[in-house]
Amino acid sequence: MSSTPLHQLERVVIRFAGDSGDGMQLTGDRFTSDTAALGNDLSTLPNFPAEIRAPQGTLPGVSSFQVHFADHEIATPGDAPDVLVAMNPAALKANLPDLPRGATVIANSDEFSRRNLAKVGYAASPLDDDSLTDAGYHVHALPLTSMTVEALADVEGLTRKEKERAKNMLALGLLSWLYSRDTESTEAFLRAKFSGAPEILDANLTALRTGHAYGETTEDFAVRYQVAPAPMTPGTYRTITGNQALALGLVSSAYRTGLPLVLGSYPITPASDVLHQLSALKAHGVTTLQAEDEIAAVGMALGASFGGSLGVTTTSGPGLALKSETIGLAVATELPLLVIDIQRGGPSTGLPTKTEQADLLQALHGRNGESPVAVVAAQSPTDCFDAALEAVRIATTYRTPVILLSDGYLGNGSEPWQIPTAADLPDLTVRHTTEPNATDDAGEPVFHPYLRDPETLARPWAVPGTPGLEHRIGGIEKADVTGNISYDPANHDRMVRLRADKIARIADSLPPLEVDDPSGEARVLVLGWGSTYGPIAAATRLVRATGAKIARAHLRHLNPLPADLGDVLRRYDRVVLPEMNLGQLALLLRGRYLVDVRSHTAVRGLPFTAGELAQVIHENLMEIQGLEVRA
């Protein structure tokens, strides 16, 4: 047992950073799992290059994983790390600007060679010239690579280079000791992962235990830390990423609809994980099809919907553009189709592994003709599960394509999720049409494919091959009610308006917009959508701590918008809207509601920080007060 004093902390932000081959994502993921097992609330931010193997030791090749954990509810991965684990000079230089004064740096001194320093423009090692300590950082320069090799001296069958690869486990063991975590769950993970490679398993287990033992015996660390569990509603929890939550939400939705789930997908970062997750769930009525391209993938999904299944396709921004014609076909045929867009930086290939919110206008308007679809957005990794359920509800109830917007921040980030029971899930039961729904002039039963439900305007969903329900389908305009091909101008005008009205009626099924305004006296409303939820919530908390009154609201439904949104916006003297684009939703809200929505925008490939948004809110509050004084 270590005699090192134990200090209690409320929250900690740790960032693991190194070369893209140093295993930082695995290290961060394992630390996160151990943290979740201890009952801390947490939020993570993986950040890695797009290249499979960027040039070793260079700034473009730096990969990092940030985890924020606390003894209370948190909303973001943290603005800045309290601890940086830097495996090489590039990792240190790339992340040093984010470190606040007083932060701790644990650096792998073995990698601070003259050659590696030169790659990133260091004339001398910052570990040797006191520049880091002079800047107020607590520096621990440890030879992690040589410590690992020395610890594995008795492990046979591995080269020195292969032994060096276990240095991330040594770092994980050290951090596990420093923050009062045991290594049992990580050891179990390693045994499962490397069950067929005993030498590699032995090396990783030994390195992990060595790092933990080093913490217990060294005098390099004056204290170790502990973060108490966060209060949580009783239940069963697991750590989950947004993409994992989407996959489970889709399977749960299929279960509640009673429909088989068919996913047509083409691999694309950062959406591929949904395909990977669903491909492992075939026992639950899931069929996954990896298509040759994006167009084929959405065609498979729409074909599945035509056949009576729950058709889903996953993609990111470039793929959404390619799917646009088939989404338009789904609009014309009025079939349910779920299109999941995990947004990333653009345009073109852009920033494949970085986050952005720039596909909103494409989701709303990126098709030819008047082609309305429903659009919903997830707000957190765990909320991706609920967003999937809501998207399926809309698609099957109103017979329409639904675009579900997530992004790389949500898709790759993780947080604790309370696993619901089947009884907690909404009833999404779907009943296909099985009988004719009208009679002809002779009184004989007939099927009219566009005879609509009077409340939802949804048309019947008839499975092909059902006797007596034969009907035409395709992209050419159909006659109202009968579904016959029609070029009549008046009919086309009517059908265009009917399809738009059907989407508008979705708003009738939505609850009033929830506004967080405890005092009821706030004059500034901070509005958001999608993954800005966490940063806005954290920023609002910071501003309210100063005594200021501020209101907050967040949109899940972007088309149609909540019926009461206009009234909510007009209730406040100012509306501030942060977006990770150049103001796309702000543009739409100004045009529709004639409200002077103030944008705060950034397209850095990273989420907003709470401190940044708190400053924006403060400036708007000050400006409102200044205008009042001048008046």
Side-chain angles (χ1 to χ4, degrees):
M1 182 67 66
S2 173
S3 60
T4 307
L6 186 64
H7 284 198
Q8 200 76 24
L9 298 176
E10 294 182 354
R11 53 172 290 279
V12 180
V13 180
I14 299 176
R15 183 180 298 176
F16 299 91
D19 195 72
S20 57
D22 284 340
M24 294 296 95
Q25 302 305 314
L26 175 63
T27 306
D29 182 70
R30 293 315 312 159
F31 191 89
T32 298
S33 296
D34 292 340
T35 296
L38 288 175
N40 300 129
D41 196 16
L42 63 90
S43 180
T44 69
L45 178 63
N47 191 1
F48 45 89
E51 291 79 11
I52 295 174
R53 193 67 171 90
Q56 190 170 3
T58 64
L59 292 173
V62 172
S63 174
S64 68
F65 189 106
Q66 182 163 304
V67 54
H68 180 194
F69 56 102
D71 64 2
H72 56 274
E73 183 182 357
I74 57 176
T76 73
D79 285 5
D82 302 302
V83 179
L84 171 66
V85 179
M87 302 300 283
N88 61 18
L92 177 65
K93 187 165 189 176
N95 292 282
L96 201 57
D98 295 338
L99 286 187
R101 187 176 180 84
T104 296
V105 176
I106 300 174
N108 180 12
S109 59
D110 284 334
E111 294 299 316
F112 281 70
S113 64
R114 182 176 299 178
R115 182 169 180 267
N116 286 344
L117 291 167
K119 285 182 181 180
V120 296
Y122 278 131
S125 173
L127 303 182
D128 299 331
D129 62 7
D130 295 330
S131 60
L132 296 178
T133 53
D134 290 346
Y137 302 124
H138 304 290
V139 181
H140 301 273
L142 305 177
L144 298 178
T145 303
S146 55
M147 288 169 61
T148 303
V149 173
E150 182 180 349
L152 304 184
D154 295 333
V155 177
E156 298 179 353
L158 296 178
T159 66
R160 178 183 173 89
K161 190 167 186 178
E162 288 171 331
K163 292 178 180 180
E164 289 178 359
R165 290 175 184 161
K167 63 182 180 290
N168 65 322
M169 287 296 105
L170 190 141
L172 176 59
L174 174 59
L175 267 293
S176 296
W177 169 83
L178 189 60
Y179 289 94
S180 306
R181 281 145 177 72
D182 60 44
T183 60
E184 290 179 6
S185 65
T186 295
E187 290 186 17
F189 168 83
L190 293 172
R191 289 191 186 96
K193 182 177 179 63
F194 298 116
S195 59
E199 299 88 354
I200 297 176
L201 173 60
D202 189 14
N204 280 279
L205 288 175
T206 301
L208 180 69
R209 293 165 182 167
T210 298
H212 200 278
Y214 176 80
E216 291 181 334
T217 57
T218 186
E219 296 182 0
D220 197 44
F221 295 91
V223 296
R224 58 198 294 254
Y225 305 98
Q226 186 176 57
V227 178
M232 290 188 177
T233 304
T236 302
Y237 287 81
R238 60 162 288 185
T239 303
I240 198 168
T241 68
N243 282 344
Q244 291 170 338
L246 274 173
L248 293 179
L250 292 172
V251 175
S252 300
S253 299
Y255 169 76
R256 296 300 280 172
T257 61
L259 302 175
L261 173 64
V262 178
L263 175 74
S265 184
Y266 179 75
I268 183 172
T269 301
S272 299
D273 277 347
V274 182
L275 170 61
H276 301 158
Q277 295 289 324
L278 288 176
S279 65
L281 299 174
K282 295 177 182 177
H284 299 276
V286 178
T287 300
T288 54
L289 303 164
Q290 181 173 318
E292 66 268 29
D293 57 40
E294 295 281 3
I295 299 171
V298 68
M300 291 173 175
L302 183 56
S305 292
F306 174 55
S309 297
L310 180 59
V312 183
T313 188
T314 53
T315 190
S316 191
L320 184 63
L322 291 169
K323 295 179 190 293
S324 62
E325 184 177 4
T326 303
I327 297 172
L329 177 61
V331 172
T333 57
E334 299 191 46
L335 287 168
L337 173 68
L338 184 55
V339 181
I340 298 176
D341 175 18
I342 317 293
Q343 300 167 94
R344 70 190 208 186
S348 187
T349 309
L351 304 173
T353 61
K354 311 300 180 183
T355 197
E356 204 163 274
Q357 286 184 299
D359 292 349
L360 177 59
L361 292 180
Q362 180 182 199
L364 290 168
H365 305 300
R367 293 162 298 281
N368 65 295
E370 295 289 345
S371 189
V373 302
V375 179
V376 300
Q379 65 187 30
S380 69
T382 56
D383 184 59
C384 288
F385 179 87
D386 297 314
L389 288 163
E390 174 64 359
V392 170
R393 178 193 74 84
I394 293 172
T396 55
T397 301
Y398 293 87
R399 311 287 196 266
T400 178
V402 178
I403 296 177
L404 195 168
L405 296 175
S406 177
D407 58 43
Y409 168 38
L410 299 185
N412 294 322
S414 60
E415 58 186 8
W417 176 56
Q418 185 176 5
I419 302 173
T421 65
D424 296 328
L425 303 177
D427 182 6
L428 302 175
T429 303
V430 171
R431 293 179 177 84
H432 294 120
T433 301
T434 58
E435 301 290 338
N437 58 1
T439 56
D440 61 15
D441 292 340
E444 296 296 320
V446 296
F447 176 59
H448 286 159
Y450 287 90
L451 185 64
R452 301 175 183 277
D453 180 285
E455 181 178 343
T456 65
L457 296 183
R459 78 172 187 87
W461 190 4
V463 176
T466 304
L469 304 189
E470 297 83 0
H471 60 283
R472 292 181 177 86
I473 197 163
I476 297 179
E477 186 64 279
K478 304 297 183 291
D480 186 24
V481 181
T482 67
N484 296 327
I485 291 176
S486 173
Y487 293 96
D488 178 66
N491 176 79
H492 177 58
D493 185 273
R494 174 171 174 75
M495 292 295 282
V496 167
R497 296 180 188 277
L498 278 171
R499 289 188 288 261
D501 191 17
K502 181 176 68 171
I503 299 301
R505 290 193 183 196
I506 296 170
D508 297 338
S509 69
L510 305 182
L513 180 62
E514 184 177 340
V515 180
D516 176 21
D517 186 0
S519 69
E521 300 175 359
R523 300 178 59 190
V524 174
L525 171 71
V526 185
L527 183 69
W529 68 274
S531 65
T532 58
Y533 176 84
I536 289 174
T540 303
R541 192 178 302 164
L542 291 174
V543 173
R544 287 177 179 164
T546 68
K549 297 180 174 63
I550 192 75
R552 174 174 66 95
H554 211 77
L555 297 174
R556 176 189 293 288
H557 300 89
L558 299 167
N559 195 38
L561 293 162
D564 61 341
L565 177 58
D567 293 336
V568 170
L569 297 180
R570 297 184 188 98
R571 196 185 304 163
Y572 295 90
D573 295 334
R574 176 161 297 181
V575 178
V576 180
L577 176 52
E579 294 185 82
M580 291 188 292
N581 56 45
L582 296 184
Q584 295 185 15
L585 181 60
L587 172 71
L588 297 172
L589 297 184
R590 291 186 197 111
R592 177 163 181 175
Y593 299 110
L594 302 180
V595 172
D596 183 20
V597 176
R598 300 295 182 97
S599 283
H600 175 72
T601 65
V603 281
R604 300 184 296 253
L606 294 169
F608 290 114
T609 65
E612 171 189 0
L613 294 188
Q615 180 63 28
V616 170
I617 296 170
H618 175 75
E619 290 171 357
N620 277 273
L621 287 169
M622 292 299 99
E623 188 173 337
I624 286 288
Q625 294 174 6
L627 290 173
E628 186 176 70
V629 170
R630 287 194 294 273

